[in-house]
């Protein structure tokens, strides 16, 4: 593999637009590093067939799944996780064999290159420029070599960004002096170090689940052929080395400087502020060195900034209790104005305010809603249907509108795009997991950009001499009395997991509609009904379904609402998630007990769902 290094541009203006054989992987260009002391629908049928019907009130498990290209081909199709590709890249998880192999990555990359050429209507021989970034996972070097080879086989020129973030990969298709046709980020986000995956971007944004399904179907055929020894080996790829992260960091710095427009020190608007960053040994350290510090911030006490593919301290995840607790301790110990927690690839974030209060989940959505509604009065805010009723009231109290939609960051973002296309002004789309996208930022879920917005607000509040930090903006947010997440693993072979998961979730809906669960009512969330399981789309071209889910409210014998439960099929793992919120103490246990006795056992889904976590909770 020939390697050519190109330097980053000396200056960058702010963006103005909304093989095989011997392959050597070169390590990424180094970021400046520092040592810090560690403070310690319409529902559509699955591509493999529709769920089995219920029989006598009980659900029967499927016998098998038809495969277009045999079991070998299906092993590639099962790598699809909604709009991404993910799999086991290293051994280490019991019962989960390695399936994201170099050959699998190569055929997926080659298929993406072919799909891209068709989408852009580029003739054979015309250059396609694709950038590639990765997080620090141990499998990255080996799989990157396969990724480069696959792209080269499809006739793509490859530009290696090395260690990068997912949002930066997309921005490589937009920023001047780069302007690539497409980009691929190799990451498995917050999942264990044994996993890895691919996220795909064109200039239009992230791919849809349908796009990735087409790519995986094409890749499955190639995979079968290669396993049979068919197909040429191709020539070693030529890979250009580029420093995209420096340009992306400058892009973020320019936004902060321009929008703060500090009256006395324009180039260092964060002078006098202390900000703690917890990168979790993922890709987020750049934000400390190349954004905050260069703008004048004191970042002393920041945590786990050095990339480490084993993630030795905690998983980089703003939902992780350890991550938030360590960040809180650091904020309080150093008297910081703000704490920031990034996930591995920095497409998600959470913050801690100056009092040590964690701001993630509904709180983060509320904070971003307060900021965006001040800029765009009356705008629609799209979230997933796990959001609380209190959040809906919070958004309404500030003159906004709340659309609750299907779980899945791509679903939420695509719904926002759809609403804007339909003439409904929608500036903010956020999942409760921390994925957040803004209309002003290309509908891109960018954790760093979300923090940029919060940092700008923090400085503006200080300049306006307002009391309290950013946490004061959400003091009136009403939160549930209890929130509980339980998971039920889907038993049996992984190849049957998606169909069985769909069956279980559909059975929940059927039990309510057939009046077998008195007290339970499928929920209607207002602007976008989830009465049909977050699947109803009244548009002429509904957004495709990548996982099945339903939300229902539970009422006691006096018709007093106790809370709600959101039942969904996980996109990333073979399990069913139960998100419960109670309006009263003890309500989650009451709902879980009722579901266990009158649905999980009575319907028979417990024959292929592991309900032990639910049983343990209700005892």
């Amino acid at each position: 593999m020939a390697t050519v290094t190109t330097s980053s541009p000396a200056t960058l203006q702010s963006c103005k637009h909304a093989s095989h054989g011997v392959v050597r992987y070169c390590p990424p260009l180094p970021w400046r590093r520092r040592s810090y002391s560690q403070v310690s629908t319409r529902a559509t049928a699955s591509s493999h067939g529709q769920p089995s019907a219920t029989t006598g009130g009980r659900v029967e498990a499927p016998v098998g799944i038809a495969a277009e290209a045999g079991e070998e081909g299906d092993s590639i199709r099962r790598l699809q996780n909604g709009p991404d590709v993910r799999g086991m890249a290293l051994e280490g998880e019991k019962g989960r064999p390695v399936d994201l192999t170099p050959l699998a990555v190569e055929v997926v990359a080659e298929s993406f290159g072919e799909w891209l050429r068709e989408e852009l209507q580029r003739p054979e021989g015309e250059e396609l420029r694709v950038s590639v970034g990765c997080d620090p996972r141990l499998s990255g070097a080996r799989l990157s070599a396969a990724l480069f080879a696959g792209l080269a086989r499809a006739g793509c020129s490859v530009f290696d960004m090395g260690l990068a973030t997912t949002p930066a990969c997309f921005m490589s298709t937009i920023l001047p002096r780069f302007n690539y046709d497409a980009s691929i980020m190799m990451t498995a986000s917050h999942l264990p170090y044994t996993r890895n995956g691919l996220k795909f971007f064109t200039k239009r944004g992230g791919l849809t689940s349908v796009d990735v399904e087409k790519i995986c179907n094409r890749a499955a055929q190639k995979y079968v052929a290669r396993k049979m020894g068919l197909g040429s080996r191709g020539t070693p790829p030529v890979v250009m080395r580029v420093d995209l992260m420096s340009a992306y960091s400058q892009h973020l710095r320019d936004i902060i400087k321009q929008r703060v427009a500090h009256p006395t020190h324009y180039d260092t608007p964060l002078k006098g502020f202390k900000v703690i960053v917890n990168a979790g040994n993922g890709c987020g350290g750049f934000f400390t060195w190349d954004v905050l510090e260069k703008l004048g911030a004191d970042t002393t006490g920041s945590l786990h900034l050095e990339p480490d593919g084993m993630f030795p301290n905690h998983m980089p995840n703003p939902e992780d209790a350890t991550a938030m607790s360590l960040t809180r301790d650091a904020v309080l110990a150093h008297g910081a104005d703000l704490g920031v927690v990034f996930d591995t690839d920095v497409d998600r974030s959470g913050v801690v305010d100056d009092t040590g209060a964690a701001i993630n989940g509904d709180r983060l959505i509320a904070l971003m809603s307060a900021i965006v509604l001040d800029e765009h009065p009356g705008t629609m805010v799209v979230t997933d249907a796990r959001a609380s009723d209190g959040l809906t009231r919070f958004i309404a109290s500030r003159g906004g509108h709340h659309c609750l939609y299907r779980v899945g960051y791509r679903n939420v973002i695509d719904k926002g795009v759809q609403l804007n296309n339909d003439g409904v002004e929608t500036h903010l789309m956020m999942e409760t997991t921390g994925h957040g996208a803004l209309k002003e930022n290309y509908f891109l879920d960018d954790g760093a950009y979300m923090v940029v917005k919060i940092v700008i607000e923090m400085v503006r509040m200080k300049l306006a001499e307002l009391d309290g930090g950013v946490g004061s903006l959400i003091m009136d947010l009403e939160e549930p009395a209890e929130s509980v997440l339980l998971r039920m693993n889907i038993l049996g072979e992984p190849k049957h997991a998606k169909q069985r998961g769909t069956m279980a979730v559909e059975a929940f809906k059927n039990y309510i509609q057939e009046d077998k669960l008195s007290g339970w009512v499928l929920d209607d969330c207002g602007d976008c009904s989830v009465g049909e399981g977050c699947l109803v789309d009244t548009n002429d071209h509904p957004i495709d379904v990548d996982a099945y889910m339903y939300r229902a409210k539970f009422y006691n014998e006096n018709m007093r609402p106790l809370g709600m439960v959101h039942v969904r099929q996980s996109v990333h793992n073979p399990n069913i998630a139960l998100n419960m919120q109670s309006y009263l103490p003890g309500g989650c246990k009451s709902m879980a007990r009722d579901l266990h006795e009158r649905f999980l056992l009575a319907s028979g889904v417990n024959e292929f769902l592991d309900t032990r976590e639910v049983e343990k909770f209700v005892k």
Side-chain angles (χ1 to χ4, degrees), residues 229-267:
L230 304 177
S232 61
R233 298 171 67 86
T235 58
V238 175
V239 178
M240 305 287 289
R241 293 291 305 282
V242 293
D243 181 12
L244 183 280
M245 289 304 298
S246 293
Y248 173 67
S249 298
Q250 183 177 336
H251 169 68
L252 296 180
R253 294 198 307 269
D254 288 345
I255 290 170
I256 295 174
K257 288 192 290 186
Q258 291 165 8
R259 296 186 186 176
V260 170
H262 202 286
T264 59
H265 38 90
Y266 180 89
D267 289 325

mmCIF file of all heavy atoms in Angstrom, residues 229-267:
data_model
loop_
_atom_site.group_PDB
_atom_site.id
_atom_site.type_symbol
_atom_site.label_atom_id
_atom_site.label_comp_id
_atom_site.label_asym_id
_atom_site.label_seq_id
_atom_site.Cartn_x
_atom_site.Cartn_y
_atom_site.Cartn_z
ATOM 1 N N GLY A 229 -13.491 -18.647 -3.642
ATOM 2 C CA GLY A 229 -12.264 -18.445 -4.397
ATOM 3 C C GLY A 229 -12.453 -17.718 -5.696
ATOM 4 O O GLY A 229 -11.551 -17.715 -6.543
ATOM 5 N N LEU A 230 -13.612 -17.088 -5.897
ATOM 6 C CA LEU A 230 -13.888 -16.374 -7.139
ATOM 7 C C LEU A 230 -13.563 -14.899 -6.978
ATOM 8 O O LEU A 230 -13.656 -14.334 -5.891
ATOM 9 C CB LEU A 230 -15.367 -16.532 -7.514
ATOM 10 C CG LEU A 230 -15.869 -17.972 -7.652
ATOM 11 C CD1 LEU A 230 -17.362 -17.984 -7.942
ATOM 12 C CD2 LEU A 230 -15.101 -18.704 -8.754
ATOM 13 N N GLY A 231 -13.199 -14.239 -8.046
ATOM 14 C CA GLY A 231 -12.914 -12.817 -8.003
ATOM 15 C C GLY A 231 -11.435 -12.537 -7.902
ATOM 16 O O GLY A 231 -10.675 -13.284 -7.273
ATOM 17 N N SER A 232 -10.992 -11.459 -8.531
ATOM 18 C CA SER A 232 -9.567 -11.115 -8.530
ATOM 19 C C SER A 232 -9.180 -10.509 -7.188
ATOM 20 O O SER A 232 -10.008 -9.996 -6.448
ATOM 21 C CB SER A 232 -9.277 -10.115 -9.649
ATOM 22 O OG SER A 232 -10.018 -8.921 -9.442
ATOM 23 N N ARG A 233 -7.875 -10.567 -6.902
ATOM 24 C CA ARG A 233 -7.382 -10.055 -5.630
ATOM 25 C C ARG A 233 -7.229 -8.536 -5.644
ATOM 26 O O ARG A 233 -7.221 -7.905 -4.603
ATOM 27 C CB ARG A 233 -6.036 -10.702 -5.291
ATOM 28 C CG ARG A 233 -6.125 -12.209 -5.114
ATOM 29 C CD ARG A 233 -4.739 -12.813 -4.992
ATOM 30 N NE ARG A 233 -4.073 -12.417 -3.767
ATOM 31 C CZ ARG A 233 -4.211 -13.047 -2.605
ATOM 32 N NH1 ARG A 233 -5.018 -14.092 -2.509
ATOM 33 N NH2 ARG A 233 -3.567 -12.654 -1.532
ATOM 34 N N GLY A 234 -7.132 -7.942 -6.811
ATOM 35 C CA GLY A 234 -7.014 -6.502 -6.886
ATOM 36 C C GLY A 234 -5.598 -6.030 -6.615
ATOM 37 O O GLY A 234 -4.723 -6.793 -6.212
ATOM 38 N N THR A 235 -5.372 -4.736 -6.832
ATOM 39 C CA THR A 235 -4.050 -4.162 -6.606
ATOM 40 C C THR A 235 -4.019 -3.469 -5.253
ATOM 41 O O THR A 235 -5.049 -3.001 -4.759
ATOM 42 C CB THR A 235 -3.723 -3.146 -7.705
ATOM 43 O OG1 THR A 235 -4.733 -2.125 -7.704
ATOM 44 C CG2 THR A 235 -3.671 -3.813 -9.066
ATOM 45 N N PRO A 236 -2.858 -3.390 -4.619
ATOM 46 C CA PRO A 236 -2.766 -2.705 -3.322
ATOM 47 C C PRO A 236 -3.226 -1.254 -3.455
ATOM 48 O O PRO A 236 -2.928 -0.593 -4.450
ATOM 49 C CB PRO A 236 -1.279 -2.797 -2.986
ATOM 50 C CG PRO A 236 -0.787 -3.971 -3.739
ATOM 51 C CD PRO A 236 -1.567 -3.984 -5.017
ATOM 52 N N PRO A 237 -3.948 -0.756 -2.472
ATOM 53 C CA PRO A 237 -4.482 0.609 -2.573
ATOM 54 C C PRO A 237 -3.413 1.671 -2.356
ATOM 55 O O PRO A 237 -2.422 1.449 -1.664
ATOM 56 C CB PRO A 237 -5.518 0.648 -1.445
ATOM 57 C CG PRO A 237 -5.011 -0.334 -0.442
ATOM 58 C CD PRO A 237 -4.380 -1.438 -1.238
ATOM 59 N N VAL A 238 -3.621 2.802 -2.960
ATOM 60 C CA VAL A 238 -2.817 3.994 -2.694
ATOM 61 C C VAL A 238 -3.619 4.857 -1.726
ATOM 62 O O VAL A 238 -4.757 5.235 -2.019
ATOM 63 C CB VAL A 238 -2.513 4.776 -3.978
ATOM 64 C CG1 VAL A 238 -1.772 6.069 -3.658
ATOM 65 C CG2 VAL A 238 -1.700 3.919 -4.945
ATOM 66 N N VAL A 239 -3.050 5.145 -0.576
ATOM 67 C CA VAL A 239 -3.776 5.855 0.474
ATOM 68 C C VAL A 239 -3.101 7.200 0.748
ATOM 69 O O VAL A 239 -1.904 7.258 1.015
ATOM 70 C CB VAL A 239 -3.815 5.014 1.774
ATOM 71 C CG1 VAL A 239 -4.523 5.782 2.880
ATOM 72 C CG2 VAL A 239 -4.517 3.685 1.522
ATOM 73 N N MET A 240 -3.868 8.260 0.657
ATOM 74 C CA MET A 240 -3.377 9.608 0.941
ATOM 75 C C MET A 240 -3.629 9.923 2.411
ATOM 76 O O MET A 240 -4.739 9.718 2.903
ATOM 77 C CB MET A 240 -4.098 10.635 0.065
ATOM 78 C CG MET A 240 -4.023 10.359 -1.429
ATOM 79 S SD MET A 240 -2.419 10.686 -2.108
ATOM 80 C CE MET A 240 -2.395 12.475 -2.036
ATOM 81 N N ARG A 241 -2.623 10.425 3.104
ATOM 82 C CA ARG A 241 -2.777 10.801 4.508
ATOM 83 C C ARG A 241 -3.175 12.271 4.605
ATOM 84 O O ARG A 241 -2.562 13.129 3.966
ATOM 85 C CB ARG A 241 -1.463 10.573 5.251
ATOM 86 C CG ARG A 241 -1.081 9.090 5.363
ATOM 87 C CD ARG A 241 -2.016 8.350 6.299
ATOM 88 N NE ARG A 241 -2.055 8.993 7.594
ATOM 89 C CZ ARG A 241 -1.103 8.859 8.530
ATOM 90 N NH1 ARG A 241 -0.043 8.114 8.297
ATOM 91 N NH2 ARG A 241 -1.213 9.480 9.681
ATOM 92 N N VAL A 242 -4.182 12.581 5.390
ATOM 93 C CA VAL A 242 -4.649 13.960 5.533
ATOM 94 C C VAL A 242 -4.900 14.280 7.003
ATOM 95 O O VAL A 242 -5.270 13.398 7.790
ATOM 96 C CB VAL A 242 -5.943 14.216 4.722
ATOM 97 C CG1 VAL A 242 -5.678 14.125 3.234
ATOM 98 C CG2 VAL A 242 -7.052 13.249 5.128
ATOM 99 N N ASP A 243 -4.716 15.535 7.371
ATOM 100 C CA ASP A 243 -4.971 16.006 8.733
ATOM 101 C C ASP A 243 -6.281 16.788 8.730
ATOM 102 O O ASP A 243 -6.277 18.024 8.683
ATOM 103 C CB ASP A 243 -3.802 16.863 9.219
ATOM 104 C CG ASP A 243 -4.012 17.363 10.650
ATOM 105 O OD1 ASP A 243 -4.942 16.860 11.321
ATOM 106 O OD2 ASP A 243 -3.259 18.265 11.075
ATOM 107 N N LEU A 244 -7.359 16.082 8.774
ATOM 108 C CA LEU A 244 -8.682 16.704 8.758
ATOM 109 C C LEU A 244 -9.035 17.296 10.117
ATOM 110 O O LEU A 244 -9.710 18.330 10.199
ATOM 111 C CB LEU A 244 -9.718 15.673 8.312
ATOM 112 C CG LEU A 244 -11.200 16.053 8.122
ATOM 113 C CD1 LEU A 244 -11.966 16.109 9.422
ATOM 114 C CD2 LEU A 244 -11.356 17.343 7.342
ATOM 115 N N MET A 245 -8.595 16.651 11.209
ATOM 116 C CA MET A 245 -9.025 17.070 12.541
ATOM 117 C C MET A 245 -8.590 18.499 12.870
ATOM 118 O O MET A 245 -9.286 19.211 13.586
ATOM 119 C CB MET A 245 -8.522 16.101 13.599
ATOM 120 C CG MET A 245 -9.211 14.739 13.581
ATOM 121 S SD MET A 245 -11.024 14.828 13.733
ATOM 122 C CE MET A 245 -11.201 15.571 15.347
ATOM 123 N N SER A 246 -7.440 18.930 12.362
ATOM 124 C CA SER A 246 -7.008 20.312 12.612
ATOM 125 C C SER A 246 -7.974 21.302 11.974
ATOM 126 O O SER A 246 -8.336 22.330 12.561
ATOM 127 C CB SER A 246 -5.591 20.532 12.077
ATOM 128 O OG SER A 246 -4.658 19.777 12.827
ATOM 129 N N ALA A 247 -8.398 21.001 10.758
ATOM 130 C CA ALA A 247 -9.345 21.874 10.058
ATOM 131 C C ALA A 247 -10.706 21.867 10.741
ATOM 132 O O ALA A 247 -11.359 22.914 10.874
ATOM 133 C CB ALA A 247 -9.482 21.428 8.612
ATOM 134 N N TYR A 248 -11.153 20.691 11.178
ATOM 135 C CA TYR A 248 -12.442 20.588 11.864
ATOM 136 C C TYR A 248 -12.396 21.354 13.189
ATOM 137 O O TYR A 248 -13.352 22.065 13.545
ATOM 138 C CB TYR A 248 -12.769 19.111 12.102
ATOM 139 C CG TYR A 248 -13.982 18.853 12.953
ATOM 140 C CD1 TYR A 248 -15.254 19.178 12.506
ATOM 141 C CD2 TYR A 248 -13.850 18.268 14.215
ATOM 142 C CE1 TYR A 248 -16.370 18.920 13.289
ATOM 143 C CE2 TYR A 248 -14.954 18.017 14.997
ATOM 144 C CZ TYR A 248 -16.215 18.346 14.534
ATOM 145 O OH TYR A 248 -17.313 18.101 15.307
ATOM 146 N N SER A 249 -11.288 21.248 13.922
ATOM 147 C CA SER A 249 -11.145 21.978 15.187
ATOM 148 C C SER A 249 -11.197 23.478 14.949
ATOM 149 O O SER A 249 -11.833 24.218 15.713
ATOM 150 C CB SER A 249 -9.828 21.593 15.871
ATOM 151 O OG SER A 249 -9.805 20.222 16.193
ATOM 152 N N GLN A 250 -10.521 23.953 13.908
ATOM 153 C CA GLN A 250 -10.555 25.375 13.598
ATOM 154 C C GLN A 250 -11.966 25.814 13.237
ATOM 155 O O GLN A 250 -12.401 26.918 13.603
ATOM 156 C CB GLN A 250 -9.596 25.702 12.458
ATOM 157 C CG GLN A 250 -9.545 27.196 12.136
ATOM 158 C CD GLN A 250 -8.541 27.527 11.054
ATOM 159 O OE1 GLN A 250 -7.587 26.787 10.844
ATOM 160 N NE2 GLN A 250 -8.762 28.635 10.365
ATOM 161 N N HIS A 251 -12.688 24.960 12.524
ATOM 162 C CA HIS A 251 -14.085 25.240 12.180
ATOM 163 C C HIS A 251 -14.908 25.477 13.449
ATOM 164 O O HIS A 251 -15.679 26.451 13.531
ATOM 165 C CB HIS A 251 -14.640 24.066 11.385
ATOM 166 C CG HIS A 251 -16.113 24.071 11.181
ATOM 167 N ND1 HIS A 251 -16.766 24.986 10.386
ATOM 168 C CD2 HIS A 251 -17.088 23.253 11.684
ATOM 169 C CE1 HIS A 251 -18.073 24.740 10.396
ATOM 170 N NE2 HIS A 251 -18.290 23.702 11.171
ATOM 171 N N LEU A 252 -14.743 24.636 14.457
ATOM 172 C CA LEU A 252 -15.477 24.799 15.721
ATOM 173 C C LEU A 252 -15.030 26.056 16.465
ATOM 174 O O LEU A 252 -15.858 26.787 17.026
ATOM 175 C CB LEU A 252 -15.289 23.563 16.597
ATOM 176 C CG LEU A 252 -15.842 22.239 16.053
ATOM 177 C CD1 LEU A 252 -15.577 21.109 17.044
ATOM 178 C CD2 LEU A 252 -17.334 22.337 15.746
ATOM 179 N N ARG A 253 -13.717 26.313 16.468
ATOM 180 C CA ARG A 253 -13.217 27.519 17.147
ATOM 181 C C ARG A 253 -13.781 28.783 16.496
ATOM 182 O O ARG A 253 -14.173 29.726 17.188
ATOM 183 C CB ARG A 253 -11.682 27.568 17.104
ATOM 184 C CG ARG A 253 -10.994 26.487 17.885
ATOM 185 C CD ARG A 253 -9.536 26.823 18.164
ATOM 186 N NE ARG A 253 -8.771 27.178 16.967
ATOM 187 C CZ ARG A 253 -8.094 26.315 16.222
ATOM 188 N NH1 ARG A 253 -8.122 25.016 16.533
ATOM 189 N NH2 ARG A 253 -7.404 26.715 15.177
ATOM 190 N N ASP A 254 -13.829 28.804 15.190
ATOM 191 C CA ASP A 254 -14.329 29.974 14.482
ATOM 192 C C ASP A 254 -15.795 30.246 14.819
ATOM 193 O O ASP A 254 -16.212 31.402 14.959
ATOM 194 C CB ASP A 254 -14.175 29.802 12.969
ATOM 195 C CG ASP A 254 -12.732 29.911 12.509
ATOM 196 O OD1 ASP A 254 -11.895 30.388 13.302
ATOM 197 O OD2 ASP A 254 -12.437 29.499 11.370
ATOM 198 N N ILE A 255 -16.582 29.171 14.949
ATOM 199 C CA ILE A 255 -17.999 29.331 15.295
ATOM 200 C C ILE A 255 -18.136 29.981 16.669
ATOM 201 O O ILE A 255 -18.936 30.917 16.862
ATOM 202 C CB ILE A 255 -18.722 27.974 15.260
ATOM 203 C CG1 ILE A 255 -18.844 27.475 13.819
ATOM 204 C CG2 ILE A 255 -20.111 28.078 15.899
ATOM 205 C CD1 ILE A 255 -19.338 26.043 13.710
ATOM 206 N N ILE A 256 -17.371 29.498 17.649
ATOM 207 C CA ILE A 256 -17.449 30.056 19.007
ATOM 208 C C ILE A 256 -17.023 31.520 19.000
ATOM 209 O O ILE A 256 -17.703 32.388 19.574
ATOM 210 C CB ILE A 256 -16.579 29.239 19.973
ATOM 211 C CG1 ILE A 256 -17.143 27.818 20.114
ATOM 212 C CG2 ILE A 256 -16.522 29.919 21.346
ATOM 213 C CD1 ILE A 256 -16.275 26.873 20.937
ATOM 214 N N LYS A 257 -15.914 31.846 18.337
ATOM 215 C CA LYS A 257 -15.430 33.229 18.327
ATOM 216 C C LYS A 257 -16.431 34.162 17.665
ATOM 217 O O LYS A 257 -16.727 35.250 18.175
ATOM 218 C CB LYS A 257 -14.081 33.296 17.605
ATOM 219 C CG LYS A 257 -12.936 32.690 18.397
ATOM 220 C CD LYS A 257 -11.575 33.021 17.812
ATOM 221 C CE LYS A 257 -11.330 32.319 16.502
ATOM 222 N NZ LYS A 257 -9.932 32.560 16.028
ATOM 223 N N GLN A 258 -16.977 33.749 16.544
ATOM 224 C CA GLN A 258 -17.897 34.610 15.800
ATOM 225 C C GLN A 258 -19.203 34.837 16.545
ATOM 226 O O GLN A 258 -19.738 35.956 16.568
ATOM 227 C CB GLN A 258 -18.173 34.007 14.429
ATOM 228 C CG GLN A 258 -16.967 34.023 13.491
ATOM 229 C CD GLN A 258 -17.153 33.107 12.292
ATOM 230 O OE1 GLN A 258 -18.226 32.561 12.063
ATOM 231 N NE2 GLN A 258 -16.084 32.917 11.527
ATOM 232 N N ARG A 259 -19.728 33.783 17.179
ATOM 233 C CA ARG A 259 -21.044 33.912 17.813
ATOM 234 C C ARG A 259 -20.972 34.534 19.197
ATOM 235 O O ARG A 259 -21.943 35.136 19.654
ATOM 236 C CB ARG A 259 -21.741 32.559 17.839
ATOM 237 C CG ARG A 259 -22.019 32.049 16.432
ATOM 238 C CD ARG A 259 -22.822 30.780 16.410
ATOM 239 N NE ARG A 259 -22.946 30.268 15.055
ATOM 240 C CZ ARG A 259 -23.532 29.136 14.727
ATOM 241 N NH1 ARG A 259 -24.065 28.364 15.680
ATOM 242 N NH2 ARG A 259 -23.586 28.742 13.461
ATOM 243 N N VAL A 260 -19.845 34.370 19.883
ATOM 244 C CA VAL A 260 -19.683 35.074 21.159
ATOM 245 C C VAL A 260 -19.344 36.534 20.890
ATOM 246 O O VAL A 260 -19.871 37.449 21.528
ATOM 247 C CB VAL A 260 -18.584 34.412 22.014
ATOM 248 C CG1 VAL A 260 -18.243 35.296 23.217
ATOM 249 C CG2 VAL A 260 -19.032 33.030 22.498
ATOM 250 N N ALA A 261 -18.432 36.763 19.929
ATOM 251 C CA ALA A 261 -17.989 38.131 19.597
ATOM 252 C C ALA A 261 -17.627 38.888 20.864
ATOM 253 O O ALA A 261 -18.176 39.965 21.163
ATOM 254 C CB ALA A 261 -19.062 38.861 18.791
ATOM 255 N N HIS A 262 -16.700 38.327 21.627
ATOM 256 C CA HIS A 262 -16.338 38.908 22.917
ATOM 257 C C HIS A 262 -15.836 40.339 22.730
ATOM 258 O O HIS A 262 -14.979 40.611 21.877
ATOM 259 C CB HIS A 262 -15.270 38.057 23.596
ATOM 260 C CG HIS A 262 -15.216 38.264 25.072
ATOM 261 N ND1 HIS A 262 -14.673 39.400 25.641
ATOM 262 C CD2 HIS A 262 -15.656 37.490 26.104
ATOM 263 C CE1 HIS A 262 -14.777 39.316 26.954
ATOM 264 N NE2 HIS A 262 -15.376 38.179 27.264
ATOM 265 N N PRO A 263 -16.337 41.276 23.524
ATOM 266 C CA PRO A 263 -16.000 42.690 23.308
ATOM 267 C C PRO A 263 -14.559 43.068 23.644
ATOM 268 O O PRO A 263 -14.058 44.073 23.135
ATOM 269 C CB PRO A 263 -16.985 43.425 24.232
ATOM 270 C CG PRO A 263 -17.340 42.423 25.288
ATOM 271 C CD PRO A 263 -17.332 41.099 24.598
ATOM 272 N N THR A 264 -13.877 42.263 24.483
ATOM 273 C CA THR A 264 -12.518 42.641 24.878
ATOM 274 C C THR A 264 -11.442 41.671 24.423
ATOM 275 O O THR A 264 -10.299 42.078 24.235
ATOM 276 C CB THR A 264 -12.433 42.788 26.413
ATOM 277 O OG1 THR A 264 -12.796 41.536 27.031
ATOM 278 C CG2 THR A 264 -13.360 43.896 26.904
ATOM 279 N N HIS A 265 -11.774 40.397 24.266
ATOM 280 C CA HIS A 265 -10.783 39.437 23.768
ATOM 281 C C HIS A 265 -11.466 38.451 22.816
ATOM 282 O O HIS A 265 -11.800 37.333 23.182
ATOM 283 C CB HIS A 265 -10.048 38.721 24.907
ATOM 284 C CG HIS A 265 -10.891 38.369 26.092
ATOM 285 N ND1 HIS A 265 -11.562 37.178 26.213
ATOM 286 C CD2 HIS A 265 -11.176 39.080 27.217
ATOM 287 C CE1 HIS A 265 -12.205 37.138 27.360
ATOM 288 N NE2 HIS A 265 -12.001 38.277 27.987
ATOM 289 N N TYR A 266 -11.625 38.920 21.590
ATOM 290 C CA TYR A 266 -12.350 38.184 20.561
ATOM 291 C C TYR A 266 -11.763 36.796 20.322
ATOM 292 O O TYR A 266 -12.508 35.811 20.208
ATOM 293 C CB TYR A 266 -12.328 38.989 19.257
ATOM 294 C CG TYR A 266 -13.056 38.322 18.098
ATOM 295 C CD1 TYR A 266 -14.412 38.535 17.888
ATOM 296 C CD2 TYR A 266 -12.370 37.480 17.222
ATOM 297 C CE1 TYR A 266 -15.081 37.929 16.834
ATOM 298 C CE2 TYR A 266 -13.030 36.858 16.158
ATOM 299 C CZ TYR A 266 -14.385 37.078 15.978
ATOM 300 O OH TYR A 266 -15.033 36.469 14.944
ATOM 301 N N ASP A 267 -10.448 36.668 20.227
ATOM 302 C CA ASP A 267 -9.818 35.397 19.877
ATOM 303 C C ASP A 267 -9.741 34.412 21.035
ATOM 304 O O ASP A 267 -9.474 33.226 20.815
ATOM 305 C CB ASP A 267 -8.410 35.646 19.332
ATOM 306 C CG ASP A 267 -8.438 36.286 17.946
ATOM 307 O OD1 ASP A 267 -9.351 35.961 17.169
ATOM 308 O OD2 ASP A 267 -7.560 37.118 17.660
#
